[in-house]
């Protein structure tokens, strides 16, 4: 395909980095294969200046720009529409670590860096970059920033937003904003970087960031606790927070159905318990002194909980392999559930104090409307974030069942709203929940968001049809 825009894009990044044929396929579909787009072209710039020139060219041609990182998003935020008119801007070639400053405890990295690579870069400098999520081997930091990704380290270190000190952004008119400051204190007016974090590319293209680093813990140890009720999991979390303080870096919960799906579908996984139990909590401790100290912390916590009857059984990992094995039981739930076929996913957050009541009330409502469905409930209990997924009743075709998605979404999201929760905790909105947002966000908040969008992107070319 050719045309004046394609030609000017090729002039900026080189013809080899403008895809217009079959090779666009991987960029046109989302990770879950829910959205099938048809881009005009896929452009792969190698520098921030090239990104700026690409956006300028697109703005001049009134062509929409869809920024894309590792394409692991769950809400279709990085997938173009099917008009054949949108340009996918892939940040994959922008994958340099520009600087590591151990004294300032920061690293300056480009948007296309793979998350896991950044964790390794930090570790090589004896530092921790704590953002951690299941897709980290493929996900790019630009996408993590644009969706304000959460993951398993939020309890101790916060969301992606909390890990950022500065940004470099290409604005919708093609101007390049250099906001790469590594300051922990900077009260010079509106904190503009936070507009772009979590904006899913609707206000500009993040090209680089200054990220916070932390001391690298000497030891990381996990335990798995078997529990009779979710309320017991919450009580155990409360005790863990009190006893372990900052050493508590993860507290995850999953049900026995989640565990059985993982054991059935993910090779090499095993439960540390001989019998099955209704619920499980995965506790992670990071210790600045030693593994011995981490072990003592977990033993004291779980010993007390066993004595009080809060916990039925518990297992503390004895090796790094066992630590990873326990995490696998939690991290593969989503993949194991997907192996059975498509399901209806919800990524919601609630005040932690109301989470158990939310699950009870909402489970009951769903069971009334769709008898026999299987609730696959797991998540980051310590953050109040549930992956509240619904699988069809045994024997019902998955593809047929997911047609009930809108009805299920409404039950779940109405309930979330009544409990003062959020319909998107860590996955973003994309094109999956942007319409839902209109139901649950106040008119005032939506109005403010639209004003911001119009002020920064008056032509409406940045990732249209997403978020708002
Ligand atoms: Zn999650």
């Amino acid at each position: 395909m050719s045309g004046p825009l394609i030609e000017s894009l090729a002039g900026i990044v080189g013809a080899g980095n403008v895809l217009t044929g079959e090779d666009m396929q991987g960029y046109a579909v989302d990770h879950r294969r829910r959205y099938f787009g048809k881009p005009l072209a896929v452009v792969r710039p190698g520098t921030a200046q090239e990104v700026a020139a690409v956006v300028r060219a697109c703005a001049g041609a009134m062509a929409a720009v869809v920024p894309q990182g590792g394409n692991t998003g769950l809400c279709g935020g990085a997938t173009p529409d099917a008009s054949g008119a949108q340009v996918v801007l892939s940040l994959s070639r922008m994958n340099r670590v520009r600087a590591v400053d151990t004294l300032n405890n920061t690293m300056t990295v480009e948007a296309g860096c793979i998350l896991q690579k950044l964790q390794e870069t930090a570790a090589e400098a004896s530092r921790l970059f704590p953002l951690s999520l299941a897709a980290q081997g493929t996900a790019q930091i630009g996408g993590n920033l644009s969706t304000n990704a959460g993951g398993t380290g939020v309890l101790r270190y916060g969301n992606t937003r909390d890990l950022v000190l500065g940004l470099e952004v290409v604005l919708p008119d093609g101007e390049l904003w250099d906001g790469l400051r590594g300051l922990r204190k900077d009260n010079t007016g509106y904190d503009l970087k936070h507009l772009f974090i979590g904006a899913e590319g609707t206000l500009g293209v993040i090209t680089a960031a200054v990220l916070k680093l932390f001391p690298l813990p000497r030891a990381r140890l996990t335990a798995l606790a078997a529990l009779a009720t979710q309320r017991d999991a919450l009580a155990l979390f409360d005790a863990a927070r009190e006893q372990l303080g900052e050493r508590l870096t993860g507290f995850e919960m999953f049900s026995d159905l989640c565990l059985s799906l993982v054991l059935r579908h993910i090779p090499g996984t095993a439960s540390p318990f001989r019998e099955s139990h209704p619920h499980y909590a995965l506790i992670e401790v990071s210790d600045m002194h030693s593994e011995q100290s981490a072990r003592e912390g977990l033993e004291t916590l779980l010993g007390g909980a066993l004595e009080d009857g809060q916990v039925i059984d518990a297992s503390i990992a004895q090796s790094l392999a066992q630590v990873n094995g326990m995490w696998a039981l939690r991290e593969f739930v989503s993949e194991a559930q997907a192996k059975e076929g498509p399901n209806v996913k919800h990524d919601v957050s609630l005040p932690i104090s109301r989470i158990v009541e939310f699950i009870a009330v909402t489970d009951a409502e769903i069971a009334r409307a769709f008898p026999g469905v299987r609730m696959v409930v797991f998540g980051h209990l310590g953050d109040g974030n549930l992956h509240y997924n619904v699988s069809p009743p045994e024997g019902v075709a998955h593809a047929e069942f997911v047609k009930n998605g809108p009805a299920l979404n409404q039950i779940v999201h109405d309930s979330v709203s009544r409990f003062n929760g959020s319909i998107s905790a860590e996955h973003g909105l994309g094109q999956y929940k942007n319409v839902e947002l209109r139901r649950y966000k106040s008119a005032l908040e939506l109005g403010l968001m639209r004003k911001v969008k119009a002020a920064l992107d008056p032509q409406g070319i940045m990732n249209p049809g997403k978020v708002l």
Side-chain angles (χ1 to χ4, degrees):
M1 195 187 283
S2 68
L5 177 59
I6 306 284
E7 266 164 45
S8 51
L9 294 175
I12 297 162
V13 299
N17 288 311
V18 180
L19 317 180
T20 55
E22 284 293 299
D23 45 4
M24 295 197 292
Q25 235 161 42
Y27 301 85
V29 185
D30 72 305
H31 174 73
R32 295 182 72 204
R33 304 191 65 77
R34 288 290 178 87
Y35 302 99
F36 295 84
K38 191 167 157 283
L40 172 72
V42 175
V43 192
R44 306 178 348 116
T47 65
Q49 287 70 27
E50 286 184 7
V51 174
V54 164
V55 172
R56 227 170 11 247
C58 290
M62 293 285 282
V65 177
V66 182
Q68 190 176 100
N71 201 12
T72 59
L74 297 171
C75 298
T79 310
D81 69 14
S83 65
Q86 301 190 329
V87 174
V88 171
L89 197 164
S90 166
L91 280 302
S92 297
R93 287 179 62 227
M94 286 199 62
N95 58 2
R96 290 183 314 137
V97 173
R98 292 190 191 165
V100 177
D101 181 345
T102 50
L103 202 52
N104 199 41
N105 250 356
T106 52
M107 59 180 172
T108 305
V109 309
E110 294 185 343
C113 291
I114 304 278
L115 174 55
Q116 193 172 318
K117 166 90 191 317
L118 294 181
Q119 295 165 347
E120 289 162 9
T121 301
E124 281 160 21
S126 298
R127 297 293 185 275
L128 174 75
F129 181 59
L131 183 62
S132 174
L133 40 90
Q136 64 196 24
T138 314
Q140 295 172 11
I141 192 69
N144 300 146
L145 290 158
S146 295
T147 54
N148 185 27
T152 53
V154 175
L155 173 62
R156 165 70 177 83
Y157 299 100
N159 293 291
T160 304
R161 185 185 297 286
D162 302 304
L163 305 175
V164 182
L165 295 180
L167 283 187
E168 178 188 79
V169 179
V170 171
L171 302 171
D173 61 1
E175 267 217 273
L176 181 63
W177 172 48
D178 179 357
L180 290 175
R181 287 183 285 268
L183 303 175
R184 286 175 174 76
K185 290 190 168 181
D186 179 9
N187 283 354
T188 51
Y190 306 144
D191 200 336
L192 297 173
K193 65 177 179 288
H194 286 302
L195 276 180
F196 301 97
I197 301 168
E200 301 185 46
T202 59
L203 301 178
V205 188
I206 296 173
T207 49
V210 182
L211 304 173
K212 286 187 204 169
L213 298 174
F214 295 83
L216 189 63
R218 282 270 176 80
R220 193 175 67 110
L221 202 60
T222 56
L224 201 64
L227 305 139
T229 67
Q230 289 155 337
R231 200 163 290 284
D232 289 338
L234 206 54
L236 182 62
F237 169 61
D238 197 32
R241 195 168 45 179
E242 192 181 315
Q243 289 182 32
L244 297 165
E246 291 211 321
R247 292 192 295 162
L248 179 67
T249 47
F251 198 101
E252 304 279 318
M253 178 178 76
F254 51 94
S255 67
D256 192 47
L257 177 57
C258 300
L259 179 64
S260 66
L261 288 170
V262 171
L263 297 177
R264 193 181 315 156
H265 294 291
I266 308 295
T269 54
S271 168
F273 305 118
R274 215 166 305 159
E275 295 165 49
S276 61
H277 302 282
H279 302 280
Y280 304 92
L282 191 160
I283 308 156
E284 183 188 81
V285 167
S286 300
D287 199 285
M288 296 313 294
H289 300 288
S290 65
E291 189 176 313
Q292 179 60 23
S293 162
R295 191 171 301 282
E296 281 165 13
L298 280 170
E299 279 169 1
T300 306
L301 171 73
L302 293 166
L306 277 162
E307 228 164 79
D308 296 348
Q310 215 169 59
V311 161
I312 305 169
D313 201 352
S315 168
I316 299 175
Q318 299 301 320
S319 63
L320 186 61
Q322 286 188 8
V323 167
N324 294 334
M326 282 182 184
W327 268 117
L329 298 179
R330 158 63 189 85
E331 289 205 311
F332 281 111
V333 174
S334 200
E335 195 175 316
Q337 191 187 13
K339 289 236 154 93
E340 304 225 313
N343 57 77
V344 182
K345 278 182 188 301
H346 303 98
D347 164 44
V348 300
S349 69
L350 288 309
I352 295 171
S353 46
R354 306 199 68 192
I355 208 161
V356 173
E357 193 191 347
F358 165 83
I359 296 171
V361 167
T362 317
D363 276 5
E365 277 186 50
I366 291 178
R368 265 198 302 278
F370 298 94
V373 293
R374 291 169 301 154
M375 299 306 301
V376 179
V377 178
F378 60 100
H380 318 286
L381 186 67
D383 313 325
N385 177 192
L386 289 179
H387 297 308
Y388 190 78
N389 297 352
V390 191
S391 271
E394 211 72 71
V396 172
H398 285 250
E400 198 55 36
F401 177 72
V402 293
K403 290 179 186 160
N404 298 307
L408 280 160
N409 291 346
Q410 185 162 348
I411 294 173
V412 174
H413 293 160
D414 280 357
S415 182
V416 164
S417 177
R418 283 197 296 274
F419 279 86
N420 267 326
S422 168
I423 64 164
S424 178
E426 60 173 5
H427 295 169
L429 299 164
Q431 51 186 305
Y432 178 48
K433 286 187 188 164
N434 57 341
V435 179
E436 290 282 286
L437 186 73
R438 294 173 208 154
R439 276 179 78 89
Y440 301 105
K441 202 104 174 164
S442 75
L444 188 141
E445 282 175 285
L446 277 173
L448 281 173
M449 284 169 69
R450 290 194 182 108
K451 277 184 197 166
V452 171
K453 169 76 175 168
L456 269 74
D457 182 20
Q459 282 191 293
I461 66 155
M462 285 309 310
N463 212 7
K466 316 291 167 53
V467 180
L468 279 168

